[in-house]
Amino acid sequence: MAALRVFAPASMGNISVGFDVLGGALAPIDGSLLGDCVSIEQIEQGIEVSTIGTFANKLPSDPKQNIVYDCAVAYQAQLKANNIEFKGLKIVLEKLLPVGSGLGSSAASVVAAFYALNEFYHQALSKHQLLLLMGQLEGQISGSVHYDNVAPSYLGGLQLMIDQPGQQCSEIPSFDAWYWVVAYSGMSVSTAESRRIMPTEVPLATALKFGQNLATFIDASHKGNQALAAQVLVDVIAEPVRGAIIPGFNDAKQAMLELGALASGISGSGPTLFAVTADLAKAQQLENYLKQHYLQTDEGFSHICKIDTQGARREALRGTV
Ligand code: HSE
């Protein structure tokens, strides 16, 4: 079978109002590939995994410790259950997203791996089966199963997790005019650790506010009411706990709002910060501020993004364009 290469975009989990149940895929407006790539080609036998790319040096040196290896083993088990023969595979992960950034880095690797495997095996598994596998494998890394990164990275758009038999998520309309300015500070935050510090229970008043904000955001998104959607983009669950321990987050968020952002919050479990505006000049102003005041190491970066509507997709093989 022919070699192939797949790209899976970065994603923002939570989007302030939907802890673990809302996520969106990101596409920088300058066309740069913000996400991970996985290439697959057939070999005699076994599973060989290697890594390249800007952030490959942050991954375990033993290829069998790489999540992409686990994805291939899990996919192999599913094929076996479906009586399909598994072939030897050489898999290359291009790690382009920083680990522990809040941009769905592990999800992008998992999504690209499963999407590539399923392309290789001519869609042997259904979209739903594939998404469930993606959630399980990403859960191995982040400490618990949540789909708010894998679903948008796989399917594109803004995805609401509905967790129903046969349907894991549902796409929510996103505002075409909105720019999502994202800035990764360059520090690494472990998702498992930032989940560990979350309270296991919340007061009734917080639960009611959470439900109201999420429901209002979804309703306003369907009705095209940008002002209302932005107004309720407030995190009452995670940000009060996590914001305080992400260096510089609270100050930078305050600055975003003072500079005129419609909303601002933590992307996933951070430290990436996002800010929303419908004005490109404003987006550039917000990005400039974040470049100067929020990036803290040489590995930090920022992008002005739109919501990526495509999700995972095949890309040209390296060296062929
Ligand atoms: N919903 C997850 C969390 C996203 O906030 O822990 C992690 O990227």
Side-chain angles (χ1 to χ4, degrees):
M1 284 186 220
L4 60 90
R5 179 168 173 248
V6 161
F7 167 75
S11 54
M12 284 174 296
N14 304 336
I15 316 187
S16 295
V17 281
F19 185 72
D20 278 2
V21 296
L22 186 67
L26 291 168
I29 59 171
D30 65 6
S32 50
L33 278 188
L34 185 64
D36 286 351
C37 290
V38 165
S39 307
I40 289 187
E41 65 180 287
Q42 192 174 338
I43 56 172
E44 280 292 308
Q45 58 181 9
I47 302 168
E48 285 177 14
V49 171
S50 59
T51 54
I52 56 174
T54 328
F55 295 100
N57 61 350
K58 298 284 161 67
L59 299 173
S61 50
D62 176 1
K64 290 196 173 169
Q65 300 287 315
N66 192 300
I67 189 67
V68 165
Y69 179 85
D70 294 337
C71 292
V73 171
Y75 193 87
Q76 186 174 20
Q78 279 287 332
L79 286 186
K80 205 169 174 189
N82 294 8
N83 287 320
I84 300 172
E85 186 201 349
F86 188 80
K87 304 189 170 55
L89 292 178
K90 180 176 169 185
I91 305 176
V92 179
L93 166 64
E94 285 168 68
K95 192 66 203 157
L96 307 175
L97 284 177
V99 174
S101 55
L103 286 167
S105 172
S106 53
S109 297
V110 166
V111 169
F114 277 120
Y115 191 100
L117 287 158
N118 214 34
E119 287 286 293
F120 195 81
Y121 285 98
H122 305 293
Q123 273 72 39
L125 303 188
S126 70
K127 270 189 170 178
H128 183 62
Q129 285 176 305
L130 210 59
L131 184 55
L132 293 184
L133 278 175
M134 289 169 179
Q136 278 168 26
L137 269 285
E138 212 244 346
Q140 274 186 25
I141 298 186
S142 59
S144 72
V145 176
H146 54 92
Y147 288 84
D148 52 331
N149 289 113
V150 288
S153 183
Y154 177 29
L155 303 168
L158 279 190
Q159 298 286 343
L160 176 70
M161 305 315 125
I162 59 171
D163 196 18
Q164 293 302 304
Q167 190 180 358
Q168 189 56 37
C169 57
S170 177
E171 186 165 3
I172 303 303
S174 55
F175 297 106
D176 290 342
W178 280 13
Y179 295 97
W180 299 79
V181 182
V182 292
Y184 166 54
S185 65
M187 321 279 274
S188 183
V189 168
S190 144
T191 298
E193 178 58 17
S194 56
R195 293 183 78 78
R196 201 188 55 74
I197 61 166
M198 291 291 298
T200 51
E201 291 178 1
V202 294
L204 180 62
T206 307
L208 295 178
K209 197 68 202 160
F210 170 81
Q212 192 174 46
N213 285 347
L214 178 58
T216 307
F217 179 79
I218 301 298
D219 183 52
S221 296
H222 277 286
K223 290 181 174 151
N225 189 338
Q226 294 187 49
L228 181 59
Q231 205 171 311
V232 294
L233 216 44
V234 175
D235 182 350
V236 293
I237 300 278
E239 196 179 298
V241 182
R242 293 173 170 175
I245 57 158
I246 298 175
F249 172 80
N250 285 340
D251 288 346
K253 173 179 170 161
Q254 185 61 30
M256 291 296 96
L257 299 178
E258 283 168 10
L259 287 169
L262 297 174
S264 177
I266 304 170
S267 176
S269 53
T272 294
L273 172 154
F274 75 82
V276 182
T277 173
D279 174 345
L280 181 55
K282 179 68 68 189
Q284 284 156 347
Q285 189 191 0
L286 298 173
E287 187 188 24
N288 284 338
Y289 178 93
L290 292 169
K291 272 188 175 144
Q292 286 172 36
H293 301 281
Y294 194 60
L295 305 197
Q296 290 150 36
T297 78
D298 290 346
E299 288 183 350
F301 57 74
S302 59
H303 285 284
I304 298 174
C305 300
K306 292 267 181 167
I307 293 297
D308 174 295
T309 52
Q310 294 181 73
R313 59 223 181 225
R314 280 173 83 147
E315 285 285 329
L317 285 166
R318 282 167 57 80
T320 58
V321 285

